[in-house]
Amino acid sequence: MYDISLTTAALLCAAAALAGWIDAVVGGGGLLQLPALLIAFPQLPPAYALGTNKAVSVVGTSAAAVTYTRKAPVDVRLACRLGVVAALASVGGAFFAAGVDSAVLRPLIIVLLLAVAAFVVLRPHFGHAPGGVVTRGRVLAAFAVAGAGIGFYDGLLGPGTGTFLVIALVALLNMDMVTASATTKVVNVCTNIGALAMFMWHGTVLWKLAPVMALCNMTGAFVGAHMALKRGSGFVRVVLLVTVAALVGKLAYDQWVAGG
């Protein structure tokens, strides 16, 4: 169904490894991996790139989640419940996606990302250490915002979902950056499994390529998770800001260059 050269395969594997690293630290690896697949297979419908991206990402995200839960104080039960809510909400977002013009949403997302970046820069201790009592109201707010709200956005548009989840968990549940990133990985596993099931149902996964890329993605995720655990919240904070900058650049390009 598709031809691929050894050079292209090697570049895709390198992109998968770096995407796994980014995803494990703070989320946003799809910003690199998905465009790489779209460029490599311009003759195929985009659904194949989306399906293969999910098949690859779910392996790396699972590896990062396991690594984090072994060494970071992750409430797996809470994370899984958030993941189920987010997965269901993403289905709703996907349902409305066909009727929404992404060109209208992108400027709003850019503004929100810039606000997030400004908030993190102006609050140098944000996410460095957990603090404060987590009330029932905050937990419910986390389910509404991080579960339903961001899950819906993931299905509707997608870019920056992991980054938004990290920020929401730090702000609402008083987590440090590392614990928030770890919790996000568990949530992402749930949402990725749901999305992958849909793509598998439609047969839009390149299975000859996905396992090799998944191995590279898993390796990158393993390294990224260990680096985040070793270097702490300050390191995650820096990677988060770089990722936000990349997301803003990508969305701005799609809005005013590629779309114009």
Side-chain angles (χ1 to χ4, degrees):
M1 186 177 181
Y2 60 96
D3 296 317
I4 181 170
S5 67
L6 185 59
T7 301
T8 301
L11 290 173
L12 284 173
C13 286
L18 183 55
W21 185 90
I22 295 170
D23 254 338
V25 177
V26 76
L31 189 69
L32 173 63
Q33 187 168 266
L34 183 56
L37 285 163
L38 289 169
I39 292 169
F41 303 107
Q43 75 281 11
L44 287 180
Y48 283 86
L50 292 167
T52 305
N53 177 61
K54 286 299 181 185
V56 172
S57 297
V58 73
V59 175
T61 304
S62 297
V66 170
T67 302
Y68 275 122
T69 53
R70 287 177 175 175
K71 297 186 178 182
V74 181
D75 186 338
V76 177
R77 184 170 177 268
L78 173 64
C80 287
R81 289 163 62 196
L82 279 170
V84 170
V85 173
L88 293 174
S90 69
V91 174
F95 179 79
F96 286 100
V100 175
D101 186 358
S102 60
V104 175
L105 291 177
R106 286 194 202 106
L108 298 176
I109 303 304
I110 290 172
V111 171
L112 182 57
L113 283 167
L114 289 174
V116 165
F119 179 80
V120 173
V121 169
L122 295 174
R123 297 279 298 274
H125 298 294
F126 178 75
H128 273 262
V133 177
V134 179
T135 63
R136 180 178 176 80
R138 281 181 169 269
V139 173
L140 291 175
F143 274 95
V145 176
I150 297 177
F152 184 86
Y153 166 76
D154 191 18
L156 185 67
L157 196 60
T161 298
T163 305
F164 286 135
L165 276 171
V166 170
I167 294 297
L169 292 174
V170 172
L172 294 172
L173 300 181
N174 296 328
M175 294 181 180
D176 61 83
M177 284 282 191
V178 173
T179 303
S181 186
T183 305
T184 295
K185 298 292 94 57
V186 180
V187 174
N188 284 157
V189 170
C190 298
T191 56
N192 283 344
I193 288 174
L196 178 58
M198 181 187 70
F199 287 116
M200 289 175 64
W201 176 263
H202 291 289
T204 53
V205 178
L206 302 177
W207 288 115
K208 291 182 179 179
L209 178 65
V212 180
M213 287 185 65
L215 180 62
C216 296
N217 189 275
M218 181 175 66
T219 302
F222 182 79
V223 173
H226 277 278
M227 287 182 69
L229 287 166
K230 182 178 180 180
R231 300 192 180 188
S233 294
F235 172 72
V236 177
R237 172 190 173 88
V238 171
V239 176
L240 183 143
L241 289 172
V242 171
T243 303
V244 167
L247 279 165
V248 169
K250 175 65 167 59
L251 289 169
Y253 176 84
D254 290 342
Q255 179 72 16
W256 291 295
V257 180

